[in-house]
Amino acid sequence: MVSVEQASLEEARGRSGLRRDVGLIGLMWASVGSIIGSGWLYGAEKAVGAAGPAAIISWVIGTVAIVLLALVHAELGGMFPVAGGTARYPHYAFGGLAGLSFGWFSWLQAATVAPIEVEAMIGYAGHWSWAQGLQHKDQTLTGPGIVTAIFLMAVFVAVNFFGVRALAHTNSAATWWKIAVPLGAIFIIAVGNFHSANFTSEGFAPFGAKGVLSAISGSGIIFALLGFEQAIQLAGESRNPKRDLPRATLGSVAIGAVIYILLQIVFIAALPHNTFAKGWDALSYAGISGPWAGLATLVGLGWLAFVLYADAIISPGGTGLIYTTATSRVSYGLAKNGYAPKIFARTDSRGVPWFGLIISFVTGVVCFLPFPSWQQLVSFITSASVLMYAGAPLAYGVFADRLPHHERPYRLPAGKVISPVSFIVANLIIYWAGWDTLWRLGIAVVLGYVLLGGYAWWANATDQPDAPRMDFKAAQWLPIYLLGMGVISAQGGFGGTGNLGLWWDMLIIAVFSLVIYYWARATASGAEAIERSIEEVVVTDAPAH
């Protein structure tokens, strides 16, 4: 039997149909390019409206949460440098049912970010006369807006078809710009416009602890910080994944967090007092629909406002570009694990999963139908993303038990403590998103079971050679986990009935999370089954043109 170490090494030597063309900078920039998207354009304004100046604390808490999850992903990414890794870890640890579930969460999150970023581009472009008329007043797209959005999605897909090397070069250039503009805005606006009294004049935390916590999920903070996993999704195309994946993952989080926290501090300090004199939840000034560009105009920096309006197209565009890539790589991983038809694993002569790209384009077009609001869809994706991330700490605990001697290029210090803590944090973020978001997420989860579960049932019923094994025993905790989170949310104070008071609700989430964590760890697949799952994926991970 081929060992786990040999299997990973074989894939690292290029048995995958994907080409290994991406270095450390390309991987890190893929994640940074995802982190710095439309979140920086809206995050500071939305957060201060929900939490007041205490939004700075919200960003710190959000950063700590993302760092904990990124640390776990960094070790797993080095252990298993495979394309679409986020979707594969639960498959290795818990078998088919859990792998199918978390794979769907991963694909759902990746597939819907690109169209949201396109809508952000079109929304900001409305400042220019030539782009007016692309959105209705409720921010849904008009007929010409839908045509424009489809065109932009087609551009994302076309760049991806040139192959990952061209993508890395394109995204690297965009990412340098995306870092330079917010850093420039921080420095230029802060000089001469930093009013320290703004932090206390209307109260530092006017909405209390609930405002601070709700801002983390509901105001775009976690959404803004998402994206570190993009380096892991490209693991199958990394030249030296075991060395570069941990560095790229942690480095991208550090860069993004520093930029976002500085943005929040300067945004609060630069505002004239009359813009928030009636309270932070009544913040208002001319041009607030484009918060940073409007602020630049307000303080007499019209030329900077021009640059920021231009960046409002480039930054979301870079994020949409890399998430189009991620969608095809996640579907590639799902196909390799037997959850999706094998056509998703077929690559063209450039090593690009072409069918996955086409489906990502179709999904984007569907998302351009008039949704109630951009903000609701962002909140939905945030919850789906963190639910996807929650699979990594669970898998980490299993691998620590079952594969203690597996090569780990990056070994997480105090991993047996950080892993369950990161699972608790992930579930708190999901809970803070609110019941109004989570019941919609529940519908999407059911849809995934119908689509992927239906394919898995067909593959097993027709004795397909790659039919996934639905290991219900190893995933017996999963339905209780999903239903339990829904029940607690419905009874809690974040959009629910309020039967669970503040702090008690979070204590219940923490205890419930630990029960699920150790239950999952105890009933997970054995070492031999895990090795077999990895071996099967690697053996079949050959070119499929």
Side-chain angles (χ1 to χ4, degrees), residues 334-541:
L334 289 171
K336 287 299 181 184
N337 285 344
Y339 302 133
K342 284 302 171 187
I343 192 171
F344 283 96
R346 298 195 179 197
T347 58
D348 62 15
S349 60
R350 297 176 183 269
V352 175
W354 58 271
F355 190 75
L357 280 178
I358 293 173
I359 295 300
S360 71
F361 173 77
V362 172
T363 303
V365 171
V366 171
C367 286
F368 294 138
L369 298 175
F371 282 100
S373 74
W374 182 88
Q375 188 66 36
Q376 285 185 354
L377 197 50
V378 167
S379 180
F380 172 85
I381 291 173
T382 298
S383 300
S385 301
V386 178
L387 190 57
M388 169 191 76
Y389 293 146
L394 294 173
Y396 177 96
V398 174
F399 298 145
D401 281 346
R402 310 297 201 268
L403 304 175
H405 304 299
H406 192 285
E407 181 183 356
R408 288 168 167 81
Y410 169 77
R411 188 176 291 272
L412 176 60
K416 291 188 176 181
V417 174
I418 291 177
S419 179
V421 169
S422 66
F423 185 61
I424 293 173
V425 169
N427 289 329
L428 285 172
I429 294 171
I430 294 170
Y431 173 69
W432 292 332
W435 171 243
D436 191 52
T437 295
L438 294 189
W439 74 260
R440 290 181 171 88
L441 181 59
I443 292 175
V445 169
V446 172
L447 178 62
Y449 284 132
V450 171
L451 294 176
L452 297 187
Y455 174 77
W457 174 85
W458 172 84
N460 280 283
T462 57
D463 295 323
Q464 298 295 312
D466 57 349
R469 292 186 298 273
M470 293 291 105
D471 192 342
F472 292 96
K473 182 179 179 181
Q476 59 185 265
W477 52 271
L478 181 57
I480 303 301
Y481 167 56
L482 296 176
L483 291 172
M485 286 297 298
V487 170
I488 296 172
S489 177
Q491 296 298 313
F494 291 80
T497 62
N499 291 330
L500 300 177
L502 187 64
W503 306 116
W504 286 106
D505 52 356
M506 288 181 275
L507 177 61
I508 291 172
I509 287 286
V511 173
F512 177 72
S513 299
L514 289 176
V515 169
I516 295 297
Y517 181 87
Y518 288 105
W519 183 8
R521 190 166 168 175
T523 60
S525 302
E528 290 187 3
I530 294 173
E531 288 196 13
R532 185 169 61 249
S533 294
I534 298 170
E535 189 178 322
E536 288 172 351
V537 172
V538 174
V539 167
T540 59
D541 225 0

Side-chain angles (χ1 to χ4, degrees), residues 24 39 62 128 156 196 260 266 307 338 376 407 437 444 544:
L24 172 61
W128 309 104
F156 292 164
S196 58
Y260 278 119
V266 172
V307 173
Q376 285 185 354
E407 181 183 356
T437 295

Side-chain angles (χ1 to χ4, degrees), residues 37-72:
S38 60
W40 97 262
L41 298 168
Y42 296 101
E45 183 261 329
K46 299 296 184 186
V48 78
I56 297 169
I57 298 176
S58 302
W59 282 101
V60 172
I61 294 173
T63 298
V64 171
I66 293 297
V67 166
L68 288 173
L69 291 168
L71 286 169
V72 174

